[in-house]
């Protein structure tokens, strides 16, 4: 799947939880939770949104590593082919 | 005949605007059924009825601003016969200030024939309603029997229904986000000012080691899908409910100068809203539920709170509140109790901190738990016992699972 499509899907999942975010201003390499006010429930819901949109599993061992937009997109890209 | 009155929507809300009826006269209802939607500054609240019965008559109209405690509907108790035949005259000296409930109620007859009007209680007449008007009223969730009729013999016409709907819409305009946020701020301000004015708070803090709890959570989540993931917040909430029996004077309400202990722990969860503002609806009976269920219900509650859609029992039932300022945040929170509750438990940021265990320095994942409590009801010793029990419960996380 096209990387930019994946990126858009991840941003959609983010917007579903934090609709006020200006996605154009987000930096891919910086932790998302430093850029957007998200508590642990919000963050879980963002990743659940990614899981549902793309059908990819996000196991416990990976959960802590997925902090930036780039890392999440990479994770999805490696699993959807 | 039972008067169903608008229940409490939380200590800082004293009225709501009726947005929608979800039942109609003649409909049977069970305790817990949602009968109406009422708008407050914090949420559109689904109002649940607290009795079984049959709706006899709706007393409020869409758009009405209703103070808490006002009769909204008349409900026939199970087994009670509907008032038959002619109309009782309205009681002349009205003992209580609820005029709409004192009117005589006439039985709706299927053919729609009007009851004889009672001379001193014009609202008791069941006017004719034209078929078109009745259909439109049903679509708009209005009770046609309560509308003024301008047709022949005072019949309620389609025009009358549409005019009533327009008036209701004008009276209850869609709140733009800014107005709702401002009203919510006022409600929070009123509750917090009242709390600080009336409740002599005392405060206790206790750092709690969480290595055992987090290791257990990690192992629990390891084999499972992200959809079943448990967050530390769910564990902390359940631990509070399990520790409360050690300190019953922290769980309940202070009303009319006396403390009433609550039989169960319905934990209010402080949830911050994205446009500013705070709401703390109840998760019922947390201590008795398996942890996965607590997690699911917590996630659902947070989602509905942020969408502004809560149930009246969630607004009125908390017996204690927990505020968890979570990760990106401060070490501890010393909070303000929500009256008429008598305690507030706070959790700060879970983080690794220097800790001495078994005589050696270690980096311990830990959290600072705090308690704000009402000194009219409990003394420091009670609070200390609670925090000690909370600490102990969190060292045995496997006992919190089921």
């Amino acid at each position: 799947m096209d990387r930019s499509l994946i990126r858009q899907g991840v941003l959609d999942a983010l917007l579903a939880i934090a609709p006020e975010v200006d996605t154009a201003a987000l930096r891919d390499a910086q932790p998302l939770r430093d850029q957007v006010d998200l508590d642990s429930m919000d963050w879980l819901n963002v990743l659940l949104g990614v899981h549902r949109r793309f059908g990819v599993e996000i196991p416990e061992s990976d959960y802590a590593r997925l902090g930036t937009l780039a890392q999440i997109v990479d994770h999805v890209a490696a699993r959807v082919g | 005949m039972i008067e169903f009155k608008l229940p409490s929507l939380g200590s800082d809300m004293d009225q709501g605007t009726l947005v929608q009826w979800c039942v109609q006269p003649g409909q049977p209802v069970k305790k817990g059924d949602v009968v109406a939607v009422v708008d407050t500054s914090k949420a559109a609240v689904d109002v649940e009825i607290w009795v079984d019965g049959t709706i006899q008559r709706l007393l409020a109209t869409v758009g009405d601003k209703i103070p808490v405690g006002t009769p909204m509907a008349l409900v026939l108790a199970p087994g009670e016969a509907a008032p038959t035949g002619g109309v009782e005259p309205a009681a002349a000296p009205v003992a209580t200030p609820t005029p709409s409930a004192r009117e005589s109620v006439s039985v709706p007859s299927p053919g729609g024939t009007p009851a004889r009007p009672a001379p001193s209680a014009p609202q008791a007449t069941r006017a004719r309603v034209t078929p078109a008007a009745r259909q439109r009223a049903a679509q708009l969730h209005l009770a046609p029997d309560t509308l003024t009729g301008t047709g022949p013999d005072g019949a309620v016409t389609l025009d009358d229904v549409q005019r009533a709907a327009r008036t209701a819409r004008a009276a209850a305009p869609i709140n733009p986000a800014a107005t709702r946020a401002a009203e919510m701020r006022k409600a929070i301000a009123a509750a917090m000012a009242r709390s600080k004015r009336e409740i002599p708070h005392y405060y206790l803090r206790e750092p709690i080691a969480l290595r055992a709890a987090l290791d257990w959570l990690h192992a629990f989540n390891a084999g499972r899908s992200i959809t079943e993931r448990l967050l530390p917040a769910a564990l902390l909430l359940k631990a509070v409910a399990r520790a409360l029996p050690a300190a019953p004077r922290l769980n309940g309400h202070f009303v009319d100068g006396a403390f009433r202990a609550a039989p169960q722990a319905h934990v209010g969860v402080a949830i911050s809203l994205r446009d500013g503002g705070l709401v703390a609806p109840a998760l019922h009976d947390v201590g008795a539920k398996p942890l996965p269920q607590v997690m699911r219900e917590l996630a659902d509650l947070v989602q509905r709170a942020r969408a502004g859609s809560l149930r009246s029992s969630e607004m009125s039932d908390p017996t204690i509140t927990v505020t968890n300022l979570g990760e990106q945040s401060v070490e501890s929170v010393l909070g303000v109790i929500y009256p008429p509750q008598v305690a507030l438990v706070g959790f700060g940021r879970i983080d690794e901190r220097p800790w001495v265990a078994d005589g050696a320095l270690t980096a311990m994942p830990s959290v600072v738990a705090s308690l704000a409590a009402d000194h009219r009801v409990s003394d420091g010793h009670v609070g200390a016992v609670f925090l000690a029990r909370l600490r102990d419960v969190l060292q045995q996380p496997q006992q919190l699972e089921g």
Side-chain angles (χ1 to χ4, degrees):
Chain A
M1 190 188 290
D2 187 52
R3 232 190 120 79
S4 64
L5 265 180
I6 296 177
R7 187 177 180 280
Q8 192 50 56
V10 175
L11 288 176
D12 286 345
L14 176 63
L15 285 168
I17 303 303
E20 77 286 350
V21 171
D22 175 12
T23 53
L26 292 174
R27 304 171 87 115
D28 285 41
Q30 213 184 317
L32 269 173
R33 292 182 70 183
D34 287 352
Q35 304 177 67
V36 182
D37 184 14
L38 296 164
D39 67 21
S40 61
M41 183 70 73
D42 294 329
W43 187 241
L44 175 61
N45 282 326
V46 169
L47 291 180
L48 274 170
V50 170
H51 161 77
R52 274 189 224 111
R53 272 169 177 73
F54 298 105
V56 300
E57 206 30 270
I58 304 181
E60 171 73 7
S61 46
D62 293 337
Y63 191 88
R65 272 194 320 98
L66 299 178
T68 71
L69 189 52
Q71 283 166 335
I72 300 173
V73 173
D74 288 345
H75 180 92
V76 174
R79 280 161 185 76
V80 290
Chain B
M1 190 71 64
I2 303 160
E3 281 180 355
F4 174 63
K5 301 176 184 168
L6 182 64
S8 163
L9 304 171
S11 64
D12 44 5
M13 311 298 316
D14 49 23
Q15 66 169 29
T17 304
L18 180 62
V19 169
Q20 184 188 339
W21 276 114
C22 304
V23 292
Q24 50 204 358
Q27 186 172 334
V29 288
K30 289 184 325 300
K31 178 177 159 156
D33 284 353
V34 175
V35 297
V37 181
V38 165
D39 206 30
T40 70
S41 65
K42 296 209 165 181
V45 179
D46 291 335
V47 177
E48 298 150 302
I49 192 163
W50 44 264
V51 285
D52 295 345
T54 307
I55 302 290
Q56 176 68 7
R57 184 178 166 124
L58 303 177
L59 302 173
T61 322
V62 170
D64 285 351
K65 277 199 177 23
I66 310 174
V68 167
T70 307
M72 291 176 74
L74 295 177
V75 179
L76 220 42
E80 185 182 348
T84 54
V87 163
E88 305 148 1
V94 178
T96 63
T98 52
S100 51
R102 288 287 167 262
E103 257 109 54
S104 44
V105 176
S106 48
V107 180
S109 50
T113 53
R116 258 178 297 115
S120 55
Q123 280 163 281
T125 307
R126 186 173 183 271
R128 275 189 55 238
V129 180
T130 70
R134 189 170 293 285
Q135 191 182 42
R136 188 81 186 107
Q139 285 167 356
L140 295 172
H141 299 285
L142 294 175
D145 307 320
T146 63
L147 303 180
T148 316
T150 61
D153 291 330
V156 175
T157 66
L158 183 58
D159 275 342
D160 293 328
V161 171
Q162 286 175 327
R163 194 171 351 100
R166 275 198 300 276
T167 313
R169 271 198 298 278
I174 312 292
N175 268 331
T179 311
R180 183 182 272 245
E183 281 179 21
M184 187 183 307
R185 202 70 247 158
K186 276 201 301 210
I188 295 170
M192 296 292 93
R194 174 182 161 200
S195 176
K196 282 285 161 164
R197 207 169 45 238
E198 294 178 3
I199 304 180
H201 285 57
Y202 71 85
Y203 293 99
L204 302 174
R205 290 167 83 251
E206 176 72 7
I208 296 181
L210 285 184
R211 182 175 289 146
L214 293 179
D215 283 351
W216 181 86
L217 266 183
H218 185 74
F220 183 97
N221 287 330
R224 290 177 167 83
S225 164
I226 186 177
T227 56
E228 297 172 276
R229 186 187 181 79
L230 296 181
L231 289 178
L235 196 70
L236 295 176
L237 283 173
K238 187 159 180 190
V240 166
R242 285 285 180 86
L244 271 174
R249 291 189 78 81
L250 300 179
N251 186 50
H253 305 99
F254 191 81
V255 180
D256 296 329
F259 173 62
R260 299 184 202 163
Q264 290 162 306
H266 302 314
V267 180
V269 182
I271 298 168
S272 65
L273 306 177
R274 292 211 76 83
D275 54 359
L278 188 61
V279 68
L283 264 184
H284 289 85
D285 206 13
V286 179
K289 292 175 174 164
L291 210 41
Q293 184 182 354
V294 172
M295 180 67 200
R296 274 197 310 276
E297 293 186 6
L298 175 63
D300 176 63
L301 190 66
V302 169
Q303 189 235 321
R304 283 187 295 110
R306 292 192 172 145
S309 166
L310 292 166
R311 298 176 75 101
S312 56
S313 59
E314 291 167 339
M315 305 295 282
S316 60
D317 287 356
T319 57
I320 188 171
T321 295
V322 174
T323 182
N324 178 349
L325 287 180
E327 310 67 31
Q328 327 262 67
S329 190
V330 293
E331 185 209 51
S332 65
V333 48
L334 301 173
V336 182
I337 299 169
Y338 282 79
Q341 295 166 41
V342 297
L344 178 81
V345 180
F347 290 102
R349 186 182 68 249
I350 297 176
D351 212 348
E352 284 195 329
R353 297 184 171 92
W355 196 277
V356 175
D358 301 320
L361 197 56
T362 182
M364 176 71 79
S366 60
V367 71
V368 177
S370 64
L371 176 71
D374 186 333
H375 217 314
R376 297 171 299 182
V377 176
S378 68
D379 299 331
H381 178 68
V382 170
V385 165
F386 169 75
L387 284 175
R389 175 63 66 88
L390 179 62
R391 182 190 63 222
D392 292 344
V393 164
L394 283 167
Q395 306 313 311
Q396 307 287 333
Q398 68 287 351
Q399 298 192 1
L400 292 171
E401 184 180 353

